[in-house]
């Protein structure tokens, strides 16, 4: 399970890759055809503890941007998601499930409203730009769709605010969650959001000039010396505990947003026109048959979950674990699974059949797991 | 450069992964969000020699299928590519560049015409299914678009025909290049094409039942014992020498099919209606400014090329190498590069600035390289 990754241009390096390598990168993932630094020579458990106490710098350039600009941009963006964007304002970020005509998830990006006619979709792991291009060509819309030269760098952890204030000024402290502002860096004006794929406080800096990647990394790194900064990446037990779902892990086109717990982002009363509305209404009317849940299960630290593991209630398979890890905070294993409706109540006893052949006793939990 | 790859469900295993691992898998790539076995404990050079003398079994499940079925299928497929499909027949495969409205490449799949109203697109490394879904929704077409449970397994090398004849009967010997037939396996009727991402003879078996993956691998493996079969994967020097271009490596949305040498697959006389036609006509009328070429260059075996390397003619950058490797057959380094028109004649002397800091003398070559 430790076979090496072959390096080719097709798996794109980022403006920060050289710096990540210089700070001891030991493990990658590949995400949106790009390198995602994941580990830096310390255990996932130690990285988890560090993230929750200090501050980390993450190269999340893999959150590639799809820019949509033009007269039809607002209409297109609303058409693409069941989330009601009629009151969306410039300066805010919106988590927007994207579904096809069957209600199946295609991506779950963060929408950044830059102007009334200009948006970025900060994407999860599928080529959402191709879908947008298809919609635009198919319907003959008047917008430009392209990937701008934008590479998000995340600063995550309880000391992120102090670091960012030192680097960009005290005003950044008042930035609210899922809002954005602009900061000055090296002659540019960069979008900074208060967001990130961790359970901790954090910011994401949307660098719009690749040639400044190393300079930005160095500036954050230097400002972080006071705060015990370390390099890092999305931390598996942290995200599982927090109920942060991963496209391709917890959900694929086989899943609808309602069962993923995104019902609050689905306006199904017919007041908006969006792709998949009828399918989602039908699914909602029929009643959900399963729902995403946490699962807490015992035994030693579980192996990585690369093929879903059955979740059993006595002899019946009632779900499948799609991500799993040992949680240092909860001192037990944690996982994420869709669970059938008759078994989805928190506390439901289950058995997890992990890839190492063990049968592990567990229970269903709400999300975030507790 | 040998950092490990993290294993998660999001990077999908294939029906053959367990067998590939059991036969000594040592290096992966990630392609279309799936594992692509690349190396098996022997050098790229030894794998190259073996491929050209014997036969190899390759897990190419990453060539995911996009199935398009329904009344509008034929119209949609033609609309998606500048290649003239008016005379396309059932039983044949067609290499089809896919371009957007600017003429930029989105993918370069193989189209398999299964029936007049049923097609598979066997895709390169981008989520072409999302583009097709977008077009269908945008234009309101009457087709189903989905990924079937199909996992191609390639048999490549000069002894591939003998192996396939032993396994599926002598008739397979008469199958022509880029044609397909059906073979019986374990109660199923599988599509087999004469094709593959190597310069050698070969076949691809389109298994349509994941549960039979290990059985099919084992059957090919056993039949291959007579022919010195080995596990393998797309071989870098073999494909570079042969001029087999890789989406994401040699071409992206920044490139048009004409400069990639696919002019023969672009019908620009206005007789077909396809996306990007006007852009391609404009590009063609203006005259190509650069063209894909081989580059042969000296020195010791070059490092992997993960960031394009400048190709210089005296002090002018005239191209960028996007894939490079040492060729055991030609006993020199080989690469692929777009070359500016004033310098694209075969024999043009150039200097390659490889990532190891060396300046390597070389020359421009036709493709396949010789």
């Amino acid at each position: 399970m430790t076979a090496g990754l072959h390096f080719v241009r097709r798996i794109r390096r980022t403006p920060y890759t050289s710096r990540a390598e210089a700070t001891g990168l030991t493990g990658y993932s590949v995400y949106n055809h790009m390198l995602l630094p994941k580990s830096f020579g310390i255990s996932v458990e130690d990285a988890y503890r560090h993230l929750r106490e200090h501050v980390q710098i993450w190269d999340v350039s893999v959150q590639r941007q799809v820019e949509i600009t033009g007269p039809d941009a607002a209409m297109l963006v609303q058409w693409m998601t069941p989330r009601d964007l009629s009151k969306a304002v410039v300066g805010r970020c919106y988590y927007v499930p994207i579904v096809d005509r069957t209600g199946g998830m295609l991506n779950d990006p963060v929408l950044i409203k830059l102007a009334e006619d200009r948006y970025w979709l900060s994407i999860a792991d599928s080529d959402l730009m191709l879908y947008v291009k298809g919609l635009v060509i198919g319907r003959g819309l008047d917008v430009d769709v392209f990937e701008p030269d934008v590479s998000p760098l995340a600063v995550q952890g309880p000391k992120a605010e102090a670091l960012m204030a030192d680097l960009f000024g005290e005003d950044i402290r008042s930035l609210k969650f899922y809002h954005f502002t602009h900061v000055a860096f090296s002659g540019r004006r960069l979008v900074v959001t208060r967001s990130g794929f961790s359970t901790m406080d954090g910011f994401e800096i949307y660098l719009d000039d690749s040639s400044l990647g190393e300079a930005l990394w160095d500036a954050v790194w230097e400002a972080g010396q006071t705060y015990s900064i370390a390099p890092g990446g999305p931390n598996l037990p942290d995200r599982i505990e927090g109920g942060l779902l991963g496209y391709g892990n917890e959900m694929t086109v086989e899943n609808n947003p309602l069962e993923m717990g995104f019902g609050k982002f689905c306006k199904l009363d017919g007041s908006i026109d969006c792709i998949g509305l009828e399918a989602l209404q039908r699914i909602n009317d029929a009643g959900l048959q399963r729902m995403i849940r946490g699962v807490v299960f015992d035994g030693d630290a579980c192996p990585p979950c690369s093929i879903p593991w059955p979740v059993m209630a006595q002899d019946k398979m009632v779900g499948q674990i799609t991500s799993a890890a040992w949680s240092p905070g909860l001192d037990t294993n944690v996982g994420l699974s869709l669970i059938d409706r008759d078994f989805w109540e928190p506390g439901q006893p289950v058995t997890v059949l992990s890839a190492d052949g063990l049968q592990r006793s567990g229970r269903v939990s709400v999300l975030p797991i507790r």
Side-chain angles (χ1 to χ4, degrees), chain A residues 161 172-173 175-179 193-195 201-203:
Chain A
E161 183 181 296
I172 202 104
R173 293 185 186 273
L175 185 65
K176 292 179 185 164
F177 185 63
Y178 262 51
H179 285 233
T193 58
R194 193 148 199 164
S195 58
D201 186 19
F203 299 81

Side-chain angles (χ1 to χ4, degrees), chain A residues 15-32:
Chain A
Y16 314 116
T17 303
S18 58
R19 286 296 190 264
E21 289 173 344
T23 44
L25 181 59
T26 51
Y28 287 106
S29 192
V30 174
Y31 195 101
N32 278 327

Side-chain angles (χ1 to χ4, degrees), chain A residues 151-153 155 164 168 190-192 203-207 216 220:
Chain A
S151 305
L153 183 67
V155 181
M164 292 291 285
F168 297 116
L190 307 181
V191 169
V192 171
F203 299 81
E204 291 172 296
I205 309 167
Y206 286 70
L207 179 64
L216 179 61
V220 171

Side-chain angles (χ1 to χ4, degrees), chain A residues 51-87:
Chain A
L51 171 64
R52 290 178 169 221
E53 190 172 351
H54 303 292
V55 62
Q56 295 183 352
I57 181 171
W58 297 3
D59 173 4
V60 291
S61 303
V62 300
Q63 294 169 193
R64 296 166 74 152
Q65 308 305 300
V66 180
E67 180 160 337
I68 303 174
T69 313
D72 290 335
M75 182 276 278
L76 171 59
V77 165
Q78 178 61 86
W79 190 42
M80 285 176 60
T81 179
R83 182 161 181 178
D84 182 3
L85 298 172
S86 60
K87 298 188 177 62

Side-chain angles (χ1 to χ4, degrees), chain A residues 169-212:
Chain A
E170 290 295 313
D171 285 355
I172 202 104
R173 293 185 186 273
S174 59
L175 185 65
K176 292 179 185 164
F177 185 63
Y178 262 51
H179 285 233
F180 73 82
T181 186
H182 292 92
V183 299
F185 180 76
S186 197
R188 301 200 69 84
R189 189 168 165 267
L190 307 181
V191 169
V192 171
T193 58
R194 193 148 199 164
S195 58
F197 204 54
S198 82
T199 62
M200 298 289 104
D201 186 19
F203 299 81
E204 291 172 296
I205 309 167
Y206 286 70
L207 179 64
D208 63 2
D209 181 344
S210 289
S211 70
L212 297 174

